[in-house]
Structure formats: structure tokens, C-alpha cells
Amino acid sequence: MSYRDKWKIAPDQVEELFAGAQSIAKRFIITNFRKQGFQDGSLKPWKAKKKKDGRNILVGKSNPHMIQSFHFDNTSKTSVRITNSKKYSGIHNEGGSYSLLAGSRASFFKTKIKTSGAFYTNKKGRLVQRNSTRTIEIRGADIGVKKHTRNMPERRMIGESKTLDNMIDKDIQRRMKKVFKK
């Protein structure tokens, strides 16, 4: 018997069951990010990044925006919908290609400049000014960028999953045992 049939047994417990399902789904999503893959019976790891910078895939340097932007929508009494407010989360989850418009971006370059420092007295007793060099960043001319397409590999974080269904089923069975023991 699936959990959809169990809702008909105890309709007054539906809200509690939805809250439990939401909690399980949120932990499932966070676990997928932590394990860097999608669990559907077994772990299907995400494709590795091209740039090796020591950070996890789809997680920012200090701000995990994608993980934090998952929301649960209870619009109907028979389902829970999981949404993400980030516009790029869909292309990461499903994979595919997307187009970037033509535009421009600023260019920067670093250069060393000589700076005059404080005055001091040298060994011969003469007053001398200390010279030093400092590196500064200067904005250069804007660079034109042509319209181009990027391919994004599929890195599924949420979707139909046997593992998630089993976790929700076990939670509902546990909650129903509590209800019927009363």
C-alpha cells in the first residue's frame, strides 16, 4: 500500500504527514549536495567541474545560494511541490544548453607603481626619501562579448527518486503506527 492510500485512512493527520514529507525532502536535497550526486536507488555522482578550485560542485565559496533557495508549496491537499527561486537551478538540474546575449565586460590589469615614502636619515647623515613600489589594479577598456551558447551537464539534485519515496513511506508507516496505537 503506497502512502497516497494511507492518507485516506487518517485524513486528520494529512498536515502532519506533509510536514514530515517536507522535512525528509529538505534533508534529501541537502544530502544530495553533500554527496555531490543524486540518490535514486544508488548514488549517481555529478559530472566533475572543469576548474579544480577545491570547492564542491554547485556550492558557492561562502554562500550556498542554491541549497537555501528551495521552497515547499502546499497548493493542494494531495501533493507537496518543491520549487527553487534561482533561475539557473533548472538548467543545473536538467542539463542542456543556454544562450548568453552579446554585451561587454570590463577588463582589469595590474601594474606596479613607484611611490614616494617617508624621509629618513641614511648612514652618511643625509636626508633621503624612501621609495617603494605598490601593485594597483586599473580598469581598462570594455571588451565586447559575442552571443554564445554554453552546455551544462545534468547535475540532478531533486526529482523522482526511489530513495526519497522509500524514506517518506517509512516515515508515514512510523507515524501511522503511532496514530493507531492511541
Side-chain angles (χ1 to χ4, degrees), residues 50-168:
K50 290 179 183 175
K51 185 178 178 182
K52 305 286 185 213
D53 57 359
R55 294 185 296 178
N56 287 342
I57 303 167
L58 300 183
V59 178
K61 206 173 213 174
S62 63
N63 44 4
H65 293 295
M66 185 116 51
I67 298 173
Q68 294 172 347
S69 57
F70 282 98
H71 303 288
F72 297 94
D73 191 11
N74 294 349
T75 53
S76 75
K77 293 187 177 186
T78 58
S79 66
V80 175
R81 196 172 90 172
I82 302 169
T83 59
N84 193 313
S85 58
K86 297 296 179 189
K87 61 183 177 184
Y88 50 83
S89 65
I91 195 76
H92 280 292
N93 196 41
E94 303 296 327
S97 61
Y98 63 96
S99 296
L100 294 168
L101 298 175
S104 65
R105 67 175 181 85
S107 66
F108 293 91
F109 62 92
K110 291 182 179 179
T111 186
K112 290 186 177 182
I113 59 169
K114 289 187 177 183
T115 58
S116 58
F119 287 95
Y120 69 98
T121 312
N122 66 5
K123 292 180 181 176
K124 295 180 181 176
R126 293 188 183 152
L127 193 62
V128 183
Q129 189 173 17
R130 177 175 285 141
N131 292 328
S132 62
T133 58
R134 209 172 87 191
T135 302
I136 61 169
E137 195 170 292
I138 299 174
R139 181 185 169 133
D142 287 350
I143 298 172
V145 179
K146 294 179 182 177
K147 181 180 177 181
H148 59 286
T149 305
R150 294 235 171 109
N151 294 323
M152 186 69 65
E154 178 184 329
R155 293 186 174 125
R156 185 164 293 282
M157 59 203 89
I158 193 66
E160 292 289 323
S161 168
K162 295 173 197 169
T163 307
L164 180 60
D165 285 344
N166 289 339
M167 290 165 64
I168 291 172

